């Protein structure tokens, strides 16, 4: 068996739709492994990218790749600051910040304050 000199990189794969607490707990569990970065999936299902960006910065974990669809490998993209800013801006533009509101678990419509 021939030895391979291929460099293997370890990435932690997490859903971009997960809560900050869940993301941080996941990273904490995998700190024993020498990670080269992370991959965030389900970017297309996120309402904001602020949490994933904050969590990655807070934990010193580079974002290597992003996925934004069901097709693999077509929907996997190399992460770039430009794409993250453009996508975050796009998501922000889709939201209506004219009235303060929040959702409850039982409400199907926003509750306006």
């Amino acid at each position: 068996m021939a030895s391979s000199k291929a460099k293997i990189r370890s990435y932690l794969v997490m859903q971009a739709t997960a809560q900050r607490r869940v993301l941080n707990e996941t990273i904490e569990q995998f700190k024993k492994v020498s990670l080269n970065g992370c991959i965030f999936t389900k970017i297309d299902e996120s309402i904001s990218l602020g949490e994933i960006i904050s969590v990655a910065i807070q934990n010193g974990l580079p974002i290597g790749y992003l996925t934004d669809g069901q097709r693999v490998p077509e929907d996997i993209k190399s992460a770039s600051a430009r794409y993250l800013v453009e996508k975050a801006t796009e998501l922000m533009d889709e939201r209506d910040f004219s009235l303060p509101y929040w959702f409850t678990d039982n409400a199907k419509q926003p509750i306006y304050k």
Side-chain angles (χ1 to χ4, degrees):
M1 180 175 189
S3 65
S4 174
K5 297 197 183 223
K7 185 176 179 178
I8 297 174
R9 296 182 181 162
S10 298
Y11 288 90
L12 181 58
V13 179
M14 299 178 285
Q15 292 182 20
T17 57
Q19 296 173 348
R20 173 188 287 274
R21 178 182 49 83
V22 174
L23 295 171
N24 280 321
E25 286 178 12
T26 302
I27 293 169
E28 187 64 33
Q29 293 299 316
F30 283 89
K31 278 190 174 178
K32 296 174 187 126
V33 177
S34 178
L35 296 171
N36 293 92
C38 61
I39 299 170
F40 283 110
T41 64
K42 300 188 177 188
I43 297 293
D44 56 317
E45 296 178 22
S46 296
I47 59 170
S48 170
L49 298 184
E51 288 193 359
I52 67 167
I53 294 169
S54 293
V55 166
I57 292 170
Q58 175 185 4
N59 290 283
L61 198 57
I63 302 173
Y65 299 93
L66 303 165
T67 69
D68 64 356
Q70 301 295 318
R71 300 173 305 148
V72 175
E74 294 87 359
D75 293 329
I76 299 173
K77 297 176 176 50
S78 290
S80 71
R82 181 184 187 106
Y83 176 79
L84 283 167
V85 169
E86 287 174 357
K87 186 66 176 172
T89 302
E90 176 186 311
L91 290 171
M92 195 168 167
D93 288 344
E94 290 174 4
R95 298 185 68 186
D96 179 12
F97 291 102
S98 60
L99 294 172
Y101 65 90
W102 65 91
F103 288 90
T104 67
D105 290 340
N106 298 326
K108 294 184 181 177
Q109 297 296 319
I111 299 171
Y112 293 96
K113 188 174 181 179

